[in-house]
């Protein structure tokens, strides 16, 4: 069974940076696409970024393009989300997730518990 644990969230001022980490255990990490999502209470969860198994391909939601970078270290079974130039509207609970396929229609079967990111203005 896959187990995902996020860390690195916190409170930051607008314009600041945070790096989220997500550790993966239970299966072979480099067989999975890894994605980041976020959710604000009362709103639907939204896609943020994803990275293919090898790390060679990434894609991002438009609101974070140019500010966020997703990466992975397959030797450490960890995926990262570097978030720069943070804005108050980035405030959300951030989740990492794992999928067996890659692309906009990938089905994410495994989810972490989430980490809160709060950006103050």
């Amino acid at each position: 069974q896959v187990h995902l644990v996020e860390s690195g969230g916190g409170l930051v001022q607008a314009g600041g940076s945070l790096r989220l980490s997500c550790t993966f255990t239970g299966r072979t990490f480099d067989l999975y696409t890894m994605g980041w999502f976020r959710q604000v209470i009362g709103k639907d969860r939204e896609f943020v970024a994803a990275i293919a198994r090898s790390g060679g391909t990434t894609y991002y939601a438009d609101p974070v393009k140019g500010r966020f970078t997703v990466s992975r270290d397959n030797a450490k079974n960890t995926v990262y989300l570097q978030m720069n130039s943070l804005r108050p509207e980035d405030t959300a609970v951030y989740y990492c997730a794992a999928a067996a396929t890659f692309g906009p229609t990938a089905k994410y079967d495994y989810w972490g518990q989430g980490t809160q990111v709060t950006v103050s203005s």
Side-chain angles (χ1 to χ4, degrees):
Q1 182 71 8
V2 171
H3 188 52
L4 302 173
V5 178
E6 302 96 335
S7 61
L11 174 64
V12 64
Q13 288 189 329
S17 298
L18 281 175
R19 188 176 83 153
L20 306 183
S21 300
C22 172
T23 57
F24 175 109
T25 57
R27 296 272 176 90
T28 303
F29 180 59
D30 61 9
L31 294 181
Y32 290 86
T33 291
M34 296 302 297
W36 286 97
F37 294 77
R38 65 187 182 186
Q39 188 169 24
V40 176
I41 293 176
K43 295 188 177 181
D44 291 336
R45 184 169 54 202
E46 65 174 357
F47 169 79
V48 174
I51 186 165
R53 303 171 191 177
S54 66
T57 305
T58 58
Y59 66 100
Y60 299 89
D62 286 344
V64 307
K65 281 181 182 176
R67 300 188 298 122
F68 290 13
T69 302
V70 60
S71 62
R72 65 191 294 161
D73 185 337
N74 285 349
K76 295 182 178 180
N77 289 2
T78 302
V79 61
Y80 305 97
L81 185 68
Q82 178 66 44
M83 306 186 293
N84 298 330
S85 302
L86 282 162
R87 305 167 180 169
E89 54 264 39
D90 294 318
T91 295
V93 177
Y94 284 71
Y95 299 89
C96 70
T101 59
F102 181 73
T105 60
K107 180 177 180 293
Y108 288 84
D109 294 314
Y110 304 102
W111 294 83
Q113 83 290 346
T115 186
Q116 176 71 46
V117 171
T118 303
V119 184
S120 63
S121 57

